[in-house]
Amino acid sequence: MNTRLRSTLLAVPALLALAAPATAFAHSQWLLPSETTFSGEEAWVSIDAAVSSELFISNFHSLDPQNFTATGPDGQSVPIENAVKGQVRSMFEVHLTKPGTYRIGSTNTGVFGGYTLNGEKKRLPRGVTADKIASLIPQGATDVQLRENQSTNQVFVTLGVPDNAVFKPTGKGLEMVPVTHPDDLVANEPGVFTFLVDGQPAAGLKVSVTKDDRWAATPIKQDVTTDAKGQAKVTWSGPGMYWMEARASDNKVSIPGATDRGLSYVATLEVQAP
Amino acid sequence: MRKTSLLVLTGAATTIAAPAMADTIDLTVTLPRPSVAEYHRPYVAIWLEGATGQPFKTLAVWYDSDNREGHGTKWLSDMRTWWRKGGRSAQIDGISGATRAPGPQKLTIPAAALRGLPGGQYKLTVEAARESGGRESVTVPVTLGGKRPATTSAKGATELGTVTASVKP
């Protein structure tokens, strides 16, 4: 399956198709925190990280723990500790020592792309950064296609009383600013989240929410669309862990030669019983 | 002279706005003894909330406050409903105590603890969370600032037995 998936990807003639939304869950990245709400003087949160074909089931490959960072309620960086990179799943821990809400995750920017040389289609290596592009495209290459890519994957955990310091948007790419605090979600009340692209409300954005329910006959998944204020309102199907994803694309590129921009945002949310 | 009478009126208005000041609540919370090999006494939180969730007032918290490693507060968030609704920002010094044994447990909420709450209808909720066990909440309606004593009662199914609240003006 993995081999077949890889070769399919390589064979896709239009490289832009790579970022097209796939059906169901289909090889997506996720973070799974041990808990999201903590009491006491200090606490440890343990987080699993992987890419897989089923939500929270480690069946494909791990994510590199070095990719992740944690930010505390005071805006300071908090160390990623005890990281282990397995074959199909990574694990790391974060020590929460100050009260408030922490953001743990990654925002990766990169370029997807390729070119034609002597009649042969070539693809740029995965994860290439903007400064390397020029050196990777040889003289005489034609049909150069570059897609700028930003992907964010986050979880939010709180020691004591939740606060909102870590949700200050940077104004770059696709971001989520909660109206309902992610560590204050309860099954009988809707969760409301504002999505921004470059700091502006992203209206009409499709937001998909999948519940962790591996024993359900069909995935418990719903799509909602953001309103004019960029707000998505999610009605939960009971308590549990949820995976929320949004994607956007436009042509507001920052990398010279890029033709378009793909943005993806993923967060794992815990919804409590009322 | 006129000023003086205004002051007197203001004082009277304050008294009317807080008629619950003299109320006390006698509570009986029955903790069942499940027949399990590994039994730990439950953590219990008891609070009052208005119809909209506000005002919110924690009345009592029974937890492992004497935990030798000082880790008793680590498990307070296991009383998830209480924690989310207001426990996480509640000042529990003076209203917390050790966990209690199975059986009917009595406590009296003194008038001083209810001071500042406006009269009206409230939900009084008892939430119990037990290590290696379950979690359950039982809610009884209570009215503060009423003229006569009133008793309300409700029964849990798993982690709580009967909860009885008697409000005395």
Side-chain angles (χ1 to χ4, degrees), chain B residues 93-112:
Chain B
D93 290 351
I95 54 168
S96 58
T99 55
R100 298 202 181 187
Q105 294 292 341
K106 290 183 184 298
L107 81 157
T108 296
I109 309 300

Side-chain angles (χ1 to χ4, degrees), chain A residues 4-267:
Chain A
R4 214 168 75 208
L5 178 90
R6 282 236 177 79
S7 47
T8 311
L9 289 181
L10 287 169
V12 171
L15 288 156
L16 302 185
L18 278 175
T23 54
F25 187 71
H27 292 92
S28 300
Q29 56 172 301
W30 46 262
L31 295 170
L32 179 60
S34 51
E35 294 177 82
T36 59
T37 298
F38 297 88
S39 57
E41 300 295 307
E42 47 85 34
W44 287 86
V45 58
S46 171
I47 294 175
D48 295 344
V51 174
S52 70
S53 65
E54 302 285 338
L55 181 59
F56 302 141
I57 298 177
S58 307
N59 66 5
F60 187 47
H61 68 77
S62 58
L63 288 166
D64 190 345
Q66 290 187 351
N67 249 333
F68 296 104
T69 57
T71 305
D74 54 2
Q76 298 296 308
S77 173
V78 181
I80 300 294
E81 300 190 53
N82 306 322
V84 176
K85 188 178 187 301
Q87 183 65 33
V88 292
R89 174 177 67 92
S90 297
M91 186 283 282
F92 58 90
E93 296 178 321
V94 178
H95 192 192
L96 317 175
T97 58
K98 291 171 188 162
T101 299
Y102 293 67
R103 180 185 66 231
I104 303 167
S106 63
T107 293
N108 293 323
T109 52
V111 182
F112 282 112
Y115 54 86
T116 303
L117 185 64
N118 303 326
E120 201 181 337
K121 283 189 185 297
K122 301 274 191 185
R123 204 175 147 220
L124 292 176
R126 272 184 90 92
V128 64
T129 50
D131 57 321
K132 302 265 167 42
I133 297 167
S135 63
L136 288 169
I137 299 177
Q139 285 280 328
T142 58
D143 195 24
V144 176
Q145 287 185 325
L146 295 177
R147 180 184 175 90
E148 190 174 326
N149 204 56
Q150 183 209 61
S151 68
T152 296
N153 186 5
Q154 297 177 329
V155 293
F156 306 97
V157 301
T158 295
L159 177 68
V161 184
D163 59 29
N164 292 303
V166 296
F167 301 116
K168 194 173 181 295
T170 64
K172 288 179 190 161
L174 180 58
E175 297 177 281
M176 186 276 286
V177 177
V179 176
T180 323
H181 194 290
D183 297 328
D184 215 1
L185 301 172
V186 59
N188 61 352
E189 292 170 12
V192 182
F193 310 94
T194 301
F195 285 86
L196 306 173
V197 171
D198 295 338
Q200 298 303 309
L205 188 74
K206 190 181 92 172
V207 178
S208 299
V209 180
T210 306
K211 187 172 191 274
D212 174 24
D213 198 344
R214 63 182 68 181
W215 296 280
T218 51
I220 301 174
K221 187 180 177 223
Q222 59 169 314
D223 292 336
V224 293
T225 305
T226 57
D227 64 13
K229 290 186 285 185
Q231 289 185 358
K233 187 174 173 182
V234 181
T235 305
W236 311 108
S237 355
M241 284 289 185
Y242 288 77
W243 185 85
M244 179 167 75
E245 183 195 41
R247 287 172 182 271
S249 57
D250 59 26
N251 54 13
K252 293 174 185 160
V253 295
S254 62
I255 295 166
T259 45
D260 72 340
R261 178 171 77 156
L263 303 166
S264 81
Y265 178 89
V266 165

Side-chain angles (χ1 to χ4, degrees), chain A residues 35 37-41 160-162 183-186 270 272-274, chain B residues 70-71 73-78 80-81 83-85 88-89 135 137:
Chain A
E35 294 177 82
T37 298
F38 297 88
S39 57
E41 300 295 307
V161 184
D183 297 328
D184 215 1
L185 301 172
V186 59
E270 184 176 17
Q272 305 280 357
Chain B
H71 292 164
T73 55
K74 178 176 177 178
W75 310 107
L76 286 177
S77 59
D78 282 3
R80 291 177 182 274
T81 303
W83 186 254
R84 179 177 55 79
K85 288 192 164 191
R88 63 197 180 193
S89 49
R135 182 176 73 94
S137 297

